[in-house]
Amino acid sequence: MQEFLEVTTFIGLSLYQWITLIIIAISAYFILHTLWRIAINKLSKVSAGTEHKFNNTIAEVLGSTQKITLALFALLIALQFLELPERWETRLSHLTFFVIGIQIALWISKSITIWSSVQLLEKEGQVPNPVITSMLSWILKVAIWSIVILAILSNVGVNITAFIASLGVGGVAVALAVQNILSDLFASLAIGLDKPFVIGDFVVFGEVAGSIERIGLKTTHIRSISGEQIVCSNTELLKNIIHNYKRMSQRRVEFKFGVTYDTPATTLAKIPDIVKSAIETSDRTRFDRAHLKGFGTSSLDFEVVYFVDSSDFNLYMDTQQAINLYMINEFKKLDVSFALPTTNLHIRSLESAKTQ
């Protein structure tokens, strides 16, 4: 029976060798799988309820190990116990390099994914920057997989120098074909680096006014005041002058009003002080100036400037309303009337016209 097992061959291995290979491979797989589960459980228990983020990260990375990878490792271990023909030794070496390279790439890719997820979580007092994080994550993953693939090709004997040169020529052609997409990608990178706005900022550009909801690799999503979502290309967005109201430390307010021409000069001199008192009734405002600016067609025009120490638009409107009501009450006490657009029509008698 043993002679039959030793004589019967398949691809250079006898049936006895195949049985030995299968038994060792299955045993090695169960051992590797058991050690893998023990390592993950041990790291998970250590990091549970604590701030051992490093251990937790290692556990997640190890958890991404593919079972087929463990099976291939078990097979490679079993093959080491057999005397293989020389051509199979070379193939085994290539297969070992391939399995190790792919698994390392998977581990690094998982680590990059975990890092990007952590970076995108909003921390206290900070706003996450999804653009830079997504771009770096994408670039790192492409670089890792490119290196691994090129290393595998080089290991099996492919001339990667010519291959890289051909990729360079093809890359130029692809870049020309997708130049609009690449333009948006670089625009998103510029947004991430320069940070003209972040998620949650209220911006105005052109005819668009709304809050930034999402900054993507190609487009930016804005929730407008009227409620609809506006999707704008990053390239087109950066071509506009952007007003970011979220970053205002204070709001400069300028308003004008007019009083009638029959207002006495002594009363006119009191109006700047009344306006100043109206502005200073709020502890969120700072008075700057109030002047009789000029003579209008039907009014004596005043110009007022003050500051609100907040970017909140509703606070500004409440403050302006309180100032207006205060002025109306005080002007009524002084018998001062706000000017309305009027036209005086002078009619001369017929006799007066004849004398001229």
Side-chain angles (χ1 to χ4, degrees):
M1 182 65 179
Q2 185 175 358
E3 293 178 355
F4 172 76
L5 293 177
E6 291 178 351
V7 171
T8 305
T9 62
F10 178 69
I11 61 171
L13 297 178
S14 66
L15 184 57
Y16 176 77
Q17 289 177 311
W18 274 108
I19 293 174
T20 304
L21 174 66
I22 292 173
I23 293 174
I24 296 175
I26 293 175
S27 301
Y29 175 79
F30 279 107
I31 293 172
L32 289 174
H33 188 271
T34 302
L35 293 175
W36 174 60
R37 295 305 308 174
I38 291 174
I40 294 176
N41 293 334
K42 184 67 175 178
L43 290 170
S44 299
K45 289 179 180 179
V46 170
S47 59
T50 65
E51 295 183 356
H52 291 84
K53 296 181 179 179
F54 181 73
N55 291 338
N56 192 36
T57 301
I58 294 177
E60 288 189 49
V61 171
L62 287 178
S64 66
T65 304
Q66 303 296 314
K67 291 184 178 179
I68 190 173
T69 303
L70 296 177
L72 289 173
F73 271 119
L75 178 60
L76 292 173
I77 292 173
L79 288 172
Q80 300 298 324
F81 289 89
L82 301 178
E83 294 183 4
L84 299 174
E86 185 176 350
R87 67 178 187 278
W88 284 104
E89 290 286 350
T90 304
R91 293 172 184 174
L92 179 60
S93 175
H94 294 331
L95 179 60
T96 303
F97 189 89
F98 174 81
V99 173
I100 294 175
I102 293 297
Q103 187 55 62
I104 290 175
L106 289 172
W107 283 338
I108 297 176
S109 181
K110 181 64 176 180
S111 302
I112 295 171
T113 301
I114 295 172
W115 169 80
S116 61
S117 299
V118 172
Q119 293 298 314
L120 290 175
L121 292 176
E122 187 170 357
K123 301 178 183 178
E124 184 178 356
Q126 298 180 1
V127 178
N129 191 339
V131 177
I132 289 295
T133 302
S134 300
M135 288 287 289
L136 286 177
S137 176
W138 181 74
I139 291 172
L140 289 174
K141 287 182 180 180
V142 170
I144 290 299
W145 281 103
S146 299
I147 292 172
V148 169
I149 291 173
L150 290 175
I152 291 173
L153 292 175
S154 177
N155 182 259
V156 298
V158 176
N159 185 2
I160 62 172
T161 303
F163 182 71
I164 292 174
S166 62
L167 284 179
V169 176
V172 173
V174 172
L176 291 175
V178 296
Q179 55 183 333
N180 291 333
I181 297 176
L182 291 177
S183 177
D184 286 328
L185 287 175
F186 283 110
S188 69
L189 183 60
I191 292 173
L193 291 173
D194 196 42
K195 296 181 182 178
F197 50 80
V198 294
I199 295 175
D201 285 1
F202 185 87
V203 298
V204 175
F205 63 94
E207 298 180 355
V208 177
S211 299
I212 303 295
E213 278 193 339
R214 178 180 178 273
I215 305 172
L217 294 178
K218 189 177 188 305
T219 60
T220 295
H221 297 183
I222 302 170
R223 183 66 61 181
S224 71
I225 296 176
S226 55
E228 76 273 16
Q229 186 184 70
I230 300 173
V231 181
C232 182
S233 165
N234 290 329
T235 303
E236 294 300 321
L237 179 59
L238 291 183
K239 289 180 180 179
N240 292 276
I241 297 176
I242 301 172
H243 302 266
N244 192 335
Y245 287 92
K246 184 69 176 293
R247 296 182 182 177
M248 284 198 311
S249 59
Q250 61 181 4
R251 183 185 293 270
R252 182 180 184 274
V253 183
E254 176 184 322
F255 70 95
K256 301 175 183 179
F257 65 90
V259 298
T260 57
Y261 267 99
D262 58 0
T263 306
T266 53
T267 305
L268 292 172
K270 298 178 182 179
I271 289 178
D273 292 330
I274 294 174
V275 175
K276 181 179 180 181
S277 299
I279 294 172
E280 292 179 343
T281 54
S282 173
D283 58 354
R284 304 295 301 273
T285 58
R286 177 170 58 86
F287 176 79
D288 185 53
R289 61 182 177 85
H291 295 96
L292 175 60
K293 182 180 180 180
F295 302 94
T297 56
S298 58
S299 63
L300 297 171
D301 298 329
F302 283 83
E303 184 177 77
V304 181
V305 176
Y306 70 95
F307 294 89
V308 181
D309 64 351
S310 173
S311 61
D312 188 350
F313 185 78
N314 290 333
L315 174 63
Y316 151 63
M317 290 303 298
D318 291 340
T319 302
Q320 186 62 53
Q321 176 180 263
I323 292 171
N324 293 340
L325 294 174
Y326 185 97
M327 290 170 56
I328 290 173
N329 291 329
E330 293 299 317
F331 283 10
K332 188 174 182 180
K333 295 177 183 179
L334 295 176
D335 197 24
V336 175
S337 300
F338 288 99
L340 297 174
T342 57
T343 300
N344 294 327
L345 180 62
H346 298 276
I347 301 176
R348 292 181 296 178
S349 62
L350 185 60
E351 294 181 358
S352 175
K354 288 181 180 180
T355 57
Q356 292 182 357

